[in-house]
């Protein structure tokens, strides 16, 4: 496997440490997953979309017909659920009871349920543990809503992406998705536990007029400058 060419500082650092965590947070369609995936590929890090774990739980709750309005139902259900991670092309995929639901994670019904479910303390505690365990001993790029603020607040490498509402809606529509992103943003930003926020110490990037590779380059430059 070839080594990253342009990022000698990080290369030097990765030879010394094998638990470098780069976090990318931000609202829906701000570019987190596209940028995170590209950045992870360039650095030969593992890419984790934490949202896929929240989506996998929402998918499973729908499959199992769980009444998620009651926290006790969620607790009982989570006790029976077997969540694992399978690495696929450098990317972490959630498996629920040995099924990979990846192809169904962006269905409308999952889009609708995921943010209300992600406000549950049982779900957040469950995935907090899962995501921290997943990162043990790995160099990773993890993106989500609370990764720099709650999951890995101690990491030095934090980024927060945002873009105008119009641009984010345009991107999601172009992807052919039926997704009320402003409603999800509202729920994610106003929930009591781990709300979406700019993590302390994060570099903020407005991606409204930037392409995926431009944002990735900006992050590279920032990582280099922070050595
Ligand atoms: O890709 P997009 O930004 O639309 O969403 P996602 O990253 O797939 O996350 C789906 C939902 O999971 C978010 O709207 C949040 O409700 C929840 N989530 C969260 O609460 N915390 C995270 N770290 C990641 C996702």
């Amino acid at each position: 496997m070839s080594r990253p060419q342009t990022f000698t500082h990080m290369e030097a650092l990765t030879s010394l440490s094998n638990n470098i965590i780069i976090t990318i947070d931000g609202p829906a369609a701000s570019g987190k997953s596209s940028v995170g995936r590209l950045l992870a590929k360039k650095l030969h890090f593992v890419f984790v979309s934490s949202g896929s774990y929240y989506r996998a739980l929402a998918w499973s709750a729908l499959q199992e017909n769980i009444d998620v309005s009651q926290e006790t139902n969620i607790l009982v259900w989570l006790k029976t659920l077997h969540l694992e991670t399978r690495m696929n092309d450098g990317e972490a995929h959630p498996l629920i009871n040995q099924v990979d639901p990846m192809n169904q994670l962006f269905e409308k019904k999952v889009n609708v349920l995921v943010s209300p479910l992600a406000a549950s303390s049982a779900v957040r505690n469950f995935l907090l543990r899962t995501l921290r365990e997943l990162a043990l001993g790995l160099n990773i790029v993890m993106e989500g809503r609370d990764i720099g603020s709650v999951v890995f607040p101690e990491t030095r490498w934090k980024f927060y992406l945002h873009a105008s509402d119009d641009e984010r809606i345009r991107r999601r529509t172009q992807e052919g998705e039926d997704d009320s992103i402003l409603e999800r943003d509202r729920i994610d930003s106003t929930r009591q536990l781990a709300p979406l926020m700019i993590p302390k110490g994060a570099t903020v990037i407005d991606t409204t007029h930037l392409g995926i590779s431009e944002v990735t380059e900006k992050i590279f430059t920032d990582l280099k400058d922070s050595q």
Side-chain angles (χ1 to χ4, degrees), residues 28 32 50 55 115 118 124 145-146 172 184 188 191:
K32 304 179 305 290
S50 63
R55 287 177 179 276
S115 290
R124 297 217 75 82
R145 300 293 190 289
D146 63 339
R172 221 10 74 101
R184 278 205 290 120
D188 294 341
R191 69 183 173 218

Side-chain angles (χ1 to χ4, degrees), residues 159 205-206 210 213-223:
F159 296 88
I205 302 175
D206 181 349
L210 297 175
S213 45
E214 287 171 299
V215 180
T216 309
E217 259 331 295
K218 263 185 182 293
I219 295 183
F220 254 69
T221 308
D222 195 88
L223 289 166

Side-chain angles (χ1 to χ4, degrees), residues 9 19 30 33 45 66 71 91 95 99 110 113 147 182 184 187 196 209 212 226:
H9 291 81
N19 197 200
S30 56
S33 34
F45 281 22
I66 307 298
E71 195 69 8
E91 182 164 340
L95 293 193
V99 176
V110 174
L113 182 65
I147 309 303
L182 299 186
R184 278 205 290 120
I187 299 172
L196 170 65
H209 304 292
I212 293 160
S226 72

Side-chain angles (χ1 to χ4, degrees), residues 139 162 176 208:
N139 293 322
H162 69 103
T208 308

Side-chain angles (χ1 to χ4, degrees), residues 54 57 71 74 78 117-118 120-128:
Y54 285 90
L57 290 192
E71 195 69 8
I74 299 179
L78 288 177
L117 186 65
S120 142
S121 69
V123 165
R124 297 217 75 82
N125 288 335
F126 183 79
L127 287 184
L128 180 63

Side-chain angles (χ1 to χ4, degrees), residues 167-202:
E167 174 58 15
R168 293 186 302 113
I169 291 167
R170 190 193 66 75
R171 289 175 188 169
R172 221 10 74 101
T173 310
Q174 202 176 41
E175 287 162 4
E177 269 200 55
D178 187 357
D179 188 3
S180 308
I181 59 171
L182 299 186
E183 175 58 6
R184 278 205 290 120
D185 288 348
R186 187 192 64 73
I187 299 172
D188 294 341
S189 313
T190 56
R191 69 183 173 218
Q192 245 181 337
L193 285 170
L196 170 65
M197 60 163 71
I198 301 177
K200 202 163 157 239

Side-chain angles (χ1 to χ4, degrees), residues 2-226:
S2 65
R3 303 285 296 161
Q5 297 296 302
T6 50
F7 201 49
T8 50
H9 291 81
M10 188 57 91
E11 195 173 19
L13 196 64
T14 51
S15 66
L16 295 174
S17 163
N18 53 5
N19 197 200
I20 295 173
I21 295 166
I22 299 172
T23 67
I24 306 179
D25 289 296
S30 56
K32 304 179 305 290
S33 34
S34 309
V35 167
R37 195 171 276 119
L38 182 59
L39 182 68
K41 271 215 159 29
K42 280 178 183 264
L43 292 170
H44 299 267
F45 281 22
V46 169
F47 173 65
V48 185
S49 164
S50 63
S52 67
Y53 285 75
Y54 285 90
R55 287 177 179 276
L57 290 192
W59 169 83
S60 177
L62 287 162
Q63 296 280 112
E64 308 268 329
N65 249 323
I66 307 298
D67 171 8
V68 298
S69 64
Q70 299 294 326
E71 195 69 8
T72 42
N73 292 347
I74 299 179
L75 275 167
V76 170
W77 161 61
L78 288 177
K79 282 207 167 77
T80 66
L81 185 139
H82 190 56
L83 173 64
E84 289 171 296
T85 292
R86 190 182 66 189
M87 290 297 171
N88 189 345
D89 195 20
E91 182 164 340
H93 282 231
L95 293 193
I96 305 252
N97 300 331
Q98 304 195 329
V99 176
D100 181 350
M102 204 47 118
N103 291 336
Q104 292 155 76
L105 295 188
F106 293 87
E107 289 177 353
K108 171 80 178 167
K109 55 188 183 203
V110 174
N111 289 339
V112 170
L113 182 65
V114 65
S115 290
L117 186 65
S120 142
S121 69
V123 165
R124 297 217 75 82
N125 288 335
F126 183 79
L127 287 184
L128 180 63
R129 246 192 340 268
T130 303
L131 295 171
R132 284 185 176 157
E133 278 172 17
L134 173 54
L136 287 175
L138 293 177
N139 293 322
I140 61 164
V141 176
M142 190 181 289
E143 59 92 356
R145 300 293 190 289
D146 63 339
I147 309 303
S149 55
V150 173
V151 185
F152 299 111
E154 68 292 345
T155 188
R156 279 178 61 185
W157 296 285
K158 300 182 192 182
F159 296 88
Y160 183 90
L161 307 187
H162 69 103
S164 72
D165 291 354
D166 285 352
E167 174 58 15
R168 293 186 302 113
I169 291 167
R170 190 193 66 75
R171 289 175 188 169
R172 221 10 74 101
T173 310
Q174 202 176 41
E175 287 162 4
E177 269 200 55
D178 187 357
D179 188 3
S180 308
I181 59 171
L182 299 186
E183 175 58 6
R184 278 205 290 120
D185 288 348
R186 187 192 64 73
I187 299 172
D188 294 341
S189 313
T190 56
R191 69 183 173 218
Q192 245 181 337
L193 285 170
L196 170 65
M197 60 163 71
I198 301 177
K200 202 163 157 239
T203 300
V204 177
I205 302 175
D206 181 349
T207 71
T208 308
H209 304 292
L210 297 175
I212 293 160
S213 45
E214 287 171 299
V215 180
T216 309
E217 259 331 295
K218 263 185 182 293
I219 295 183
F220 254 69
T221 308
D222 195 88
L223 289 166
K224 239 185 317 189
D225 291 349
S226 72

